Amino acid sequence: MIKRRTLIIWITAAAVLIAGGIVAGFTVNHSPVTAYKDQDGTRFTFKTQGDRFMRYDKDGNWKEVFVKGVNLGATVPGHFPGELPATEEDYLRWFKQIDEMGANVIRVYTVHQPVFYSALVKYNKGKGDDPLYFMQGIWSPEEELIEQQDAYVEDISKQFRAEIQKAVAAVYGDVTVPPKQGASSGEYTANAGKYLMAWHVGTEWDPEMVKNTNKKHSSVPVYKGAYFSGTPDASPFESWLAGLLDYTAQQEKQYGWEHPVTFTNWVTTDVLSHPGEPLFEEDMVSVDARHVQPTGWKGGYFAAYHVYPYYPDFFRTDSTLQTIKDKQGDFNTYKAYLHQLKAKFKDMPIMVTEYGVPSSVGVSHFGAGGRDQGGHNEQEQGKIDASLTQDIYDEGYAGAILFMWQDEWFKKTWNTMPFEIPADRRAYWINVLTNEKMFGVLGMLPGKEKQITIDGKLNDWDGLAQNEVKHWQGKVPGIQDMRITHDEGYLYLGIRLDKDFDPKTSKLYIGADTIAGGNEPSAAQLPGKKLEGGAPEALIEIGKDKESQVEIASDYDFHARLYGKEGYWMLPETTKEQETPFHPWKLAISLQMNPPDTRFAHPFIDKTIGTLKRGTTDRSKAQFDSLTSWQYSGNVIEMRIPWMLLGFSDPSSLQVIDYSPLKERRAFSTVKTDGIRLIPWLVEQNGTRVSWPGGTANTFDINDIVPYSWQPWETVQYSEQLKQSYYSMKDVYSQLSDERASK
């Protein structure tokens, strides 16, 4: 039930201000936030002017502000977005860290629980005239839009308007929302309107849906509203958007405020032509913010785009963007794109409200100049994020809102999604091969990452609970002990040898067997010996830096099965002579496509991601590298292996990909494993001597090895960590002036 308490509050506040002799034209709220007051009593803290974003300051002047922000999700590890588990303690801690990073706004995509708004009000009470603002996103009925392919479907518009009404009332603390699965609910009583910067309506638009909407409703009249209208050039979809922006304005006007308004847009539906884009759907239709105009909304209006440097593919393939070079002499296609886009919006502000790269092992798209979607450590992530921010600023944009504040375990990526099964358990573990999970500048680390430092020393293992560490029970000449533990992200191994390890003269192999099947290692990998009773699905190889990797059994290889002749048939066939028992662990980066499905041929591209990086996870060391997998020191070798490299589709329920043929729609099947049989052996680099569990025998039955196993988990342990990229963003934000030079 909506409670209309605000009118009484406004009248009381006005009386107090008049009694206090406040100068006409602006007023100071009970909070120290300064707001302009129009002749009709409407209040403003932000507005747009030309191509600038303006803020009313404490001295009674409108001053340009460059919006520096970060997108904030609504969840934490072990939860999905609709569960909205963040607490007041979480929010207050995050607000302080975001504030200290130098951001002036938080963008949220949807209505959070009431605690978000009350926590923000609480945090800002001590902030005076320099609060931390927020940009309220309003989620569209995204699934219904894609399914129906028509924005004018009555139920879609009804749902969208209901969400707009809910969002506005929630911001002003004026609604009680009944519980609904997957959505925020509760009693919204905290009025956070004074800390609002702008409204951000909708989600990224499916181009097929936009095109179909325009075709199906070509005769619909251009929308004319009290506050927002379509221009004569507005398409039916743009007119539909104008109506939603107008409805947002109508809802806010009831509370006596006006804030700038925008709708979400992305590169796929931008206003530019991309002749170098191979996929038709990435350049088939435009959604143009210039075709919607404020007709009575003094709070203003701006364009907003999500712009990443690696998607769509034209950032790599379009020669029309190869016009600006960076300091290294590479083409900065991102900056060139921004330049072209800004030229289309000379008279209105434009912001990039999503951009960034993840700090993950996995990669899913290549970008020009190494700005890939993944494959970066935290330091590289920070350097790229900061450079993207500078590009946005230099090209005259009104704001840059980084994606993302925190890592999100529930996220998925196209090239690992087929292997993360079941999908409803993604939030219970962190797959570092899925780059989408690791965009945050606040790391959400798996349970033991702060307990075990990968540095080639095992003293920190002694601090773990006794029941969390198991000792390998077999015997291998040359290996004193092998400790095993795990968490939500990795299998950890701590190995003590009889003598110092020297990768120039020795190699350590560890076979990992999870289910019936697997392959016998090659003669070079296990010379003169043979495993019986089973074989490894994965093979860990530790030697020289360029040699160290995890390989996958050739007949188990997910990548080869999905993209080879069993699946999409995009990989070249190998002859029997070319085939090896184990393959490098690879992920697809780009699929093979040809005309007439595409404008021009698009080759299949993949990347080896099973390489194990040697380094340290000790953040106090200059050599720290967040992508470190292993290190050795003296006679100790220590490592952590990502779960998926070992064949796991969900370690929380002990499920692994099985060997069965792909099902309908090229889907994989899984089976529950009893655990991992680990088979270690040492090989002299000249291949003349092998130390292995079979001793002097030439055969060994791996069934003699007790598998390492664990209990399934339903709750997760994790810790938060400000990444190196956080401090890079702090540095760049501190250098950006609010008053930009004219372009």
Side-chain angles (χ1 to χ4, degrees):
M1 182 175 66
I2 297 177
K3 311 179 188 77
R4 303 292 181 191
R5 300 178 295 222
T6 49
L7 182 60
I8 297 171
I9 295 171
W10 295 340
I11 294 171
T12 304
V16 171
L17 292 170
I18 293 169
I22 301 299
V23 178
F26 75 94
T27 179
V28 179
N29 300 331
H30 288 300
S31 74
V33 174
T34 306
Y36 175 83
K37 189 174 182 181
D38 207 2
Q39 291 181 347
D40 66 358
T42 303
R43 288 180 285 179
F44 306 79
T45 46
F46 294 94
K47 70 174 184 178
T48 61
Q49 181 176 306
D51 72 340
R52 307 293 163 121
F53 204 82
M54 312 294 288
R55 178 192 172 194
Y56 198 67
D57 69 14
K58 62 181 184 300
D59 298 320
N61 301 309
W62 285 102
K63 292 287 185 68
E64 181 183 2
V65 58
F66 180 74
V67 174
K68 299 174 286 192
V70 65
N71 288 272
L72 176 69
T75 192
V76 296
H79 296 273
F80 286 87
E83 297 172 31
L84 301 159
T87 65
E88 181 182 83
E89 183 182 359
D90 291 329
Y91 283 126
L92 291 175
R93 181 176 63 258
W94 295 343
F95 294 159
K96 184 174 186 295
Q97 291 167 331
I98 291 169
D99 209 353
E100 290 174 347
M101 186 173 70
N104 52 30
V105 70
I106 293 168
R107 177 190 170 206
V108 292
Y109 302 97
T110 187
V111 179
H112 282 224
Q113 293 287 74
V115 65
F116 168 79
Y117 305 94
S118 60
L120 188 64
V121 170
K122 183 176 182 177
Y123 176 78
N124 279 328
K125 279 183 178 177
K127 289 285 294 169
D129 202 55
D130 184 31
L132 181 61
Y133 291 99
F134 74 108
M135 193 175 288
Q136 180 64 56
I138 302 174
W139 198 259
S140 67
E142 188 176 35
E143 292 184 7
E144 290 84 351
L145 282 166
I146 293 173
E147 182 181 340
Q148 298 288 338
Q149 292 289 294
D150 181 2
Y152 280 86
V153 170
E154 183 179 353
D155 188 56
I156 289 175
S157 293
K158 182 179 178 181
Q159 285 186 56
F160 210 154
R161 286 173 178 253
E163 191 65 19
I164 290 169
Q165 186 179 43
K166 171 186 172 181
V168 175
V171 165
Y172 287 97
D174 193 29
V175 66
T176 297
V177 180
K180 180 182 177 182
Q181 187 174 4
S184 56
S185 63
E187 190 173 1
Y188 292 81
T189 59
N191 186 345
K194 63 178 81 66
Y195 304 121
L196 182 68
M197 182 179 281
W199 300 101
H200 205 299
V201 180
T203 48
E204 296 171 345
W205 311 113
D206 172 49
E208 290 279 4
M209 178 274 296
V210 174
K211 184 178 180 180
N212 188 65
T213 296
N214 290 338
K215 181 180 179 181
K216 191 171 183 178
H217 300 277
S218 58
S219 61
V220 72
V222 172
Y223 180 84
K224 301 294 181 182
Y227 302 109
F228 284 90
S229 298
T231 70
D233 295 324
S235 68
F237 183 78
E238 290 159 353
S239 267
W240 178 76
L241 280 175
L244 294 169
L245 299 189
D246 189 53
Y247 187 72
T248 304
Q250 292 174 35
Q251 293 300 305
E252 183 175 44
K253 192 70 174 179
Q254 299 177 65
Y255 294 95
W257 282 86
E258 290 190 25
H259 286 92
V261 179
T262 191
F263 64 82
T264 305
N265 209 348
W266 62 324
V267 174
T268 295
T269 51
D270 66 10
V271 297
L272 301 173
S273 177
H274 306 291
E277 169 54 46
L279 300 181
F280 294 112
E281 59 267 29
E282 302 295 1
D283 197 29
M284 66 163 49
V285 69
S286 291
V287 179
D288 195 336
R290 297 170 300 178
H291 294 166
V292 177
Q293 290 184 345
T295 48
W297 192 250
K298 297 177 183 178
Y301 171 60
F302 63 101
Y305 280 88
H306 298 170
V307 187
Y308 294 91
Y310 44 73
Y311 185 83
D313 284 315
F314 68 71
F315 280 102
R316 285 189 301 109
T317 60
D318 195 338
S319 61
T320 66
L321 293 179
Q322 295 173 4
T323 57
I324 301 173
K325 288 192 174 182
D326 58 23
K327 293 177 181 178
Q328 288 72 42
D330 297 322
F331 285 113
N332 186 343
T333 59
Y334 189 76
K335 187 177 178 70
Y337 174 83
L338 294 175
H339 185 81
Q340 291 182 15
L341 187 64
K342 179 65 176 72
K344 298 291 186 181
F345 293 90
K346 294 178 179 177
D347 301 321
M348 67 185 293
I350 178 173
M351 293 187 195
V352 178
T353 54
E354 273 192 30
Y355 66 100
V357 299
S359 61
S360 59
V361 171
V363 185
S364 64
H365 289 99
F366 286 152
R371 290 166 158 180
D372 303 335
Q373 187 177 359
H376 309 294
N377 62 25
E378 291 178 12
Q379 186 178 36
E380 293 162 347
Q381 177 196 32
K383 183 178 179 181
I384 296 171
D385 283 352
S387 71
L388 297 173
T389 307
Q390 191 69 54
D391 286 346
I392 295 166
Y393 182 84
D394 290 345
E395 289 303 317
Y397 284 65
I401 303 180
L402 182 73
F403 185 87
M404 177 72 183
W405 172 242
Q406 79 271 45
D407 288 343
E408 299 178 297
W409 290 13
F410 72 89
K411 284 288 188 70
K412 57 189 177 183
T413 303
W414 72 274
N415 63 353
T416 57
M417 189 166 61
F419 317 136
E420 292 178 334
I421 310 169
D424 61 3
R425 296 196 65 82
R426 285 193 186 105
Y428 295 110
W429 63 295
I430 172 71
N431 183 9
V432 297
L433 273 59
T434 299
N435 66 81
E436 283 279 352
K437 299 175 185 289
M438 304 184 75
F439 270 92
V441 293
L442 177 69
M444 295 294 189
L445 310 182
K448 289 191 174 66
E449 187 154 341
K450 284 191 175 181
Q451 296 175 279
I452 295 178
T453 300
I454 303 299
D455 57 1
K457 301 172 187 175
L458 302 182
N459 52 305
D460 47 2
W461 287 64
D462 296 333
L464 299 176
Q466 192 172 5
N467 63 352
E468 292 186 6
V469 180
K470 293 183 181 178
H471 293 264
W472 191 74
Q473 295 178 333
K475 292 182 179 180
V476 175
I479 299 178
Q480 292 182 21
D481 181 41
M482 182 164 73
R483 304 186 200 183
I484 314 166
T485 191
H486 71 277
D487 64 10
E488 293 81 357
Y490 304 94
L491 179 75
Y492 295 82
L493 302 176
I495 300 158
R496 194 179 302 277
L497 307 177
D498 285 343
K499 62 180 183 179
D500 289 357
F501 179 66
D502 183 357
K504 294 178 182 178
T505 60
S506 299
K507 244 186 211 184
L508 171 68
Y509 288 95
I510 304 173
D513 175 43
T514 54
I515 53 176
N519 275 351
E520 184 78 17
S522 70
Q525 293 163 333
L526 187 57
K529 308 294 182 183
K530 183 175 176 59
L531 298 173
E532 295 180 339
E537 277 69 46
L539 185 61
I540 303 167
E541 179 179 350
I542 300 294
K544 298 173 186 176
D545 288 355
K546 292 184 179 179
E547 298 173 334
S548 301
Q549 63 177 318
V550 176
E551 292 186 301
I552 187 167
S554 57
D555 57 346
Y556 188 59
D557 186 350
F558 313 160
H559 180 70
R561 290 158 67 190
L562 185 57
Y563 299 108
K565 63 181 181 180
E566 293 181 36
Y568 291 99
W569 210 327
M570 294 181 182
L571 290 172
E573 281 198 84
T574 56
T575 65
K576 193 171 183 180
E577 292 74 22
Q578 292 173 319
E579 189 59 79
T580 57
F582 287 88
H583 290 171
W585 224 113
K586 294 184 177 183
L587 281 177
I589 303 298
S590 184
L591 301 182
Q592 178 182 325
M593 288 166 282
N594 295 293
D597 299 322
T598 58
R599 287 173 172 166
F600 52 87
H602 199 261
F604 182 82
I605 302 172
D606 57 16
K607 179 180 173 62
T608 297
I609 48 83
T611 303
L612 300 178
K613 183 179 285 191
R614 186 168 68 87
T616 180
T617 60
D618 185 345
R619 291 180 177 271
S620 69
K621 303 296 184 185
Q623 299 79 17
F624 166 77
D625 189 321
S626 60
L627 298 186
T628 291
S629 291
W630 77 284
Q631 185 57 279
Y632 73 96
S633 178
N635 68 333
V636 170
I637 301 173
E638 188 177 28
M639 68 185 78
R640 59 176 186 176
I641 308 298
W643 283 116
M644 186 160 279
L645 293 184
L646 299 172
F648 281 84
S649 64
D650 172 38
S652 70
S653 60
L654 283 82
Q655 292 191 66
V656 295
I657 301 291
D658 69 12
Y659 283 88
S660 62
L662 298 181
K663 298 186 295 186
E664 187 179 355
R665 300 191 178 184
R666 301 179 177 92
F668 286 90
S669 303
T670 68
V671 64
K672 187 172 181 179
T673 178
D674 294 331
I676 311 173
R677 285 185 170 86
L678 296 166
I679 312 126
W681 68 89
L682 289 163
V683 179
E684 298 299 324
Q685 285 284 19
N686 58 18
T688 59
R689 186 172 140 202
V690 177
S691 301
W692 77 318
T696 59
N698 291 329
T699 61
F700 176 72
D701 189 340
I702 67 170
N703 290 305
D704 292 341
I705 295 174
V706 178
Y708 174 77
S709 194
W710 56 93
Q711 290 298 315
W713 65 79
E714 298 295 330
T715 58
V716 304
Q717 301 295 319
Y718 72 95
S719 60
E720 295 181 1
Q721 174 66 54
L722 293 174
K723 297 181 184 179
Q724 289 176 317
S725 51
Y726 170 91
Y727 299 100
S728 298
M729 291 305 300
K730 184 175 183 178
D731 287 344
V732 74
Y733 279 163
S734 70
Q735 297 166 17
L736 303 182
S737 168
D738 280 342
E739 296 183 9
R740 297 170 297 115
S742 298
K743 293 292 292 183

